[in-house]
Every structure is written in structure tokens, then in C-alpha cells.
Amino acid sequence: MIEANAPEDRPALFASLRYPGAGRYFLGLSLSMLGTWMQSIALSWLFVHELGATGMLLGLLGVVQFGPTLLLGAWAGALADRMDKRRLMLVTQIAMGCTALALAALDFANRESIAAVLVISGIGGLASAFDTPVRRSIIGDVVPKSALPNAMSLNTGVITSSRVLGMAMGGFVTKFAGTSWCFLANGLSYLAMLAALSSMTNRRHASAPPTSRGGARDAVRHVWETPMLRVAMMATTVVATFAFNYQVTFPLLVADEFGREADGLGALFAITSVGSFAGALTSARRRAPSLQVFLFACIGMGVSAMALAASPGFLAANVCSVPMGYCGGLLMSQLSGMLTAHSDSSMRSRILALQSVVFLGSTPIGGPIIGFIADHFGPRWSVASGGFFAAAAGVLGLAKGRRLRPPAQDVPAGSEQLSGVSARS
């Protein structure tokens, strides 16, 4: 049963927060993600500037972190559709918290090494492969389907707003206290998500697991047979593979091109995240997701990334990172909205897991490629090449997407058509 006790006059931007279960979830998520982004900054800095890793090794770090999602993500989504989501998420959150505490222990003891970091990150990546689809689909247990596009956009907004503060804090703490304190903070931050999950009393969490017995191939077939989703996922594959490898390009760009330290890296990530947060909020204000808006966001992200690559200095790079982040947040929120609006609750975890496979699972492929470009041609070329592919994916998607119209039965009741042409901004 869905909780619904909030007044009906809440602004549309926060429509999904009418449901108390969503409010508890987003609060726990925001605190947990704060620690995650702190660790992200610290781990990149530790790997490159304290352990001497190259761009290729940074790409390898992406492989062990996100490779499990590529290999297991779709299957993990099918598992989440069959299990009690809250219990499964409790297990994955505990596992990821333990890996963060293990990194902290090694770092405090000065026993860190490239091999140890890769192994621990790989274990965390395995837990994340199971956590990501259930973490995103559990929102559907506390809001009705009509509120899901808004909830998914707010989910992106919470993650990106946490990244703003988390990246800035991570850079500051790394510079003045050391990376070990960031790892410790992340390990402890999982307590917030565990508390939020434990407090959820929604009956859909306590009831028997969903009855769906379909496999991951059902999700792939559904996406492929829905032309709008097929175009969007193909474009996302290109953008995620080449343009979203910030964890590879930003540390090298900040240190090698602009001569900045960890606080500069944190600032660049944080300012990019400000743009991402604004993009997610823009998506949340829309009545329905739009393929056209998604594809224009791909183009905008690509053009902004190429401008960032050509920036003459650190200040100009930060200015260019705002529209790049905005378009990135907008396109991911729009994609999540399209997927949830066009999927039944019985396969939602599998659909969202497929998105994770495309978005996160592409990192093991794109990370080493982008790292190779950075090592041999410079960080600027690695950023510019990602921007070129993102813009090209958007242009090609528009050429195909103009001819698409969603099936009438897929359009949620009371919403606009989800075609890129008819949806209102």
C-alpha cells in the first residue's frame, strides 16, 4: 500500500515527496552518497598522486569498479525483481560500507598499494552491481507509477547535489587531512541508508517478493521492441562509454594541464555537479520525459565537453563544466523517466539494471580507451574525443527519433505523449 498523507498542493517539483517512504529514502540516500563522493575524490587522488598510477591504470580501476555491473547487472536486476528489495539492499549496503572501512584501515596503516586498492574496489564493485538496480527500483515501492518520473528525476537530483558537497568536502579533506579520513567517512555514511531502509514500513516491502519469473532477456527484448527506448539506450551507450569517464579525465586534467591539487579536483567535480543538479531539477519539473530533450542534452553535453577541453585555464574549465554537467544530469533523468514510464512494475528492476549495465558497465570499455588517449595525446584530447562522440550520438539519434511515436498503450494516463516532439518543456 502506498503511503499518501501529504497535502495535494505541494509544488510539482517535489510531487513524489508526498509519500513519506520516499522522503525517508531520499534523506538516507543523500547522506550515504555524500560519503561516496568524498571517497571518489580521495580514491582518484590516492591512485594517481600517491601510488603513481597512469591513465591506463585509472582506466583499470574503472574496470574493477564497474566491470561486475557489465557482467552481472542485468542478472542482478532479475534477482531484485524476485526478492524482497529492502532486505537485498540492506546486504549490499553493508558490503559496500565494509569495503570503504577496509580502504580506511589500509590507508591509516600506510599499507595501501595499487593491487590492494584494485582488489578492494573490485569487491565493492561486485556489491554495487547488485545494489544499483534494487536501489533505483525500490522507489517504485513507495510512490505510484504516475509519480515515478518525478521520483527518478529527484533521485538523480539527490545524487548530484550530494556530489556537489561531497566532492568539495573530499578535495578539502584529502588536501588538509588525508585520503584515509574520506574512506572512513564513506564507511560510516552507509549507516544513514541502513537506518532509512530499516525505518521503511511500507507494506510492499514487508510483503512477499514479486511474482515475476522473467529473465533479463525480457528487459532487453522490451527495450529493443520499443523504438523510443532503443534509440535512447543506443545513444546512452555511446555517451557513457566515451563522455562520462570523469574519474579518468578530471584527475589528469586538473593536475597535468592546470597544475592544481586535490582541492582543485574537488572544485571541478563539485561545479560540474551543480550543473547536473540543475539538469535533474529541470527534468523533475517536466510533466513527461522526452526523447527529443534527451537527445539535445547529449549534443549539449558533447559541445560543452569540447569547450572544456579547449579551456585556456582552470577558471574557464569550471565555467564550461556547468553546462556539461547540466546536460549530463538532464539526459540521465530523462532516460530514467522514459524507462520507468514504459515498464511494468514486475520488470522495473531489470529495466533499470539494463540502464546501469549501459551507463556503468560501459566504463570498463571506455575507461581504458580514454586513459590511453590521455597518456599518449594528453588529457585535453581525451575530454574532447568524449565530447565529439556524445554530440554525434545526439545528432544521429535525432535523425532517427523524429520518425518515432510511442505506442498509445504505453503512454501513462494523464500525461502527455512521450515523443520528443509533443512533450512540453
Side-chain angles (χ1 to χ4, degrees):
M1 179 181 294
I2 301 296
E3 300 173 276
N5 299 317
E8 295 297 327
D9 58 352
R10 192 179 296 271
L13 177 61
F14 303 107
S16 58
L17 296 185
R18 296 170 181 170
Y19 309 96
R24 289 192 292 268
Y25 171 82
F26 284 136
L27 177 60
L29 179 66
S30 63
L31 295 174
S32 176
M33 292 305 299
L34 190 67
T36 298
W37 296 122
M38 289 181 68
Q39 174 166 307
S40 178
I41 283 286
L43 190 58
S44 295
W45 198 257
L46 173 72
F47 212 58
V48 173
H49 297 280
E50 296 184 24
L51 300 179
T54 63
M56 284 291 289
L57 282 174
L58 265 179
L60 180 59
L61 179 62
V63 171
V64 300
Q65 287 178 314
F66 304 113
T69 297
L70 176 63
L71 298 176
L72 302 174
W75 181 80
L79 181 67
D81 276 332
R82 300 172 183 172
M83 294 185 63
D84 185 307
K85 293 181 174 64
R86 187 174 68 94
R87 292 181 181 177
L88 178 58
M89 193 170 172
L90 284 169
V91 173
T92 59
Q93 291 283 304
I94 291 172
M96 291 189 293
C98 289
T99 60
L101 294 176
L103 284 172
L106 282 177
D107 204 8
F108 275 120
N110 294 318
R111 299 294 299 272
E112 68 273 19
S113 66
I114 288 179
V117 170
L118 289 174
V119 170
I120 295 174
S121 297
I123 296 172
L126 181 63
S128 179
F130 289 87
D131 180 80
T132 300
V134 69
R135 172 166 50 82
R136 302 182 69 217
S137 64
I138 200 173
I139 301 173
D141 285 358
V142 290
V143 300
K145 186 171 183 179
S146 60
L148 269 177
N150 176 265
M152 295 304 294
S153 293
L154 288 182
N155 183 70
T156 301
V158 165
I159 293 175
T160 53
S161 61
S162 299
R163 184 166 62 180
V164 173
L165 182 58
M167 291 289 191
M169 288 177 59
F172 181 85
V173 172
T174 294
K175 181 176 181 178
F176 295 103
T179 54
S180 53
W181 290 99
C182 293
F183 301 142
L184 178 61
N186 184 40
L188 296 178
S189 74
Y190 284 98
L191 294 175
M193 196 68 220
L194 294 175
L197 291 169
S198 299
S199 72
M200 287 182 178
T201 57
N202 188 288
R203 290 184 183 178
R204 292 179 67 179
H205 291 150
S207 62
T211 57
S212 172
R213 289 293 181 267
R217 283 180 292 183
D218 290 343
V220 175
R221 185 181 304 111
H222 175 74
V223 169
W224 189 256
E225 292 176 353
T226 306
M228 167 192 282
L229 299 185
R230 182 171 69 243
V231 171
M233 290 292 273
M234 291 175 69
T236 300
T237 300
V238 175
V239 175
T241 300
F242 297 104
F244 266 112
N245 285 288
Y246 299 160
Q247 78 283 357
V248 176
T249 57
F250 278 14
L252 298 173
L253 192 68
V254 167
D256 297 348
E257 297 293 332
F258 302 129
R260 299 298 181 111
E261 297 186 3
D263 56 336
L265 177 61
L268 184 60
F269 267 115
I271 292 172
T272 305
S273 300
V274 170
S276 298
F277 181 57
L281 291 186
T282 298
S283 181
R285 294 289 295 185
R286 294 180 56 83
R287 288 181 58 193
S290 162
L291 177 62
Q292 188 180 55
V293 170
F294 165 83
L295 292 170
F296 273 117
C298 293
I299 297 172
M301 182 182 179
V303 172
S304 300
M306 288 185 278
L308 172 62
S311 298
F314 186 66
L315 178 60
N318 279 276
V319 172
C320 293
S321 72
V322 175
M324 185 178 73
Y326 176 86
C327 293
L330 180 60
L331 73 89
M332 290 310 299
S333 297
Q334 288 291 293
L335 177 62
S336 296
M338 286 187 284
L339 291 173
T340 53
H342 288 277
S343 64
D344 185 79
S345 60
S346 64
M347 67 162 56
R348 186 166 295 126
S349 293
R350 282 168 283 169
I351 293 290
L352 293 175
L354 185 60
Q355 181 186 4
S356 298
V357 169
V358 170
F359 183 63
L360 299 177
S362 60
T363 300
I365 300 172
I369 295 173
I370 294 299
F372 177 86
I373 294 174
D375 286 342
H376 291 80
F377 302 99
R380 291 182 184 272
W381 281 103
S382 64
V383 176
S385 61
F388 170 80
F389 282 110
V395 171
L396 292 175
L398 281 175
K400 177 68 175 177
R402 289 181 188 279
R403 299 191 297 271
L404 300 181
R405 291 292 185 275
Q409 66 269 24
D410 284 345
V411 180
S415 71
E416 303 169 63
Q417 280 191 320
L418 297 184
S419 72
V421 175
S422 61
R424 182 178 63 84
S425 297

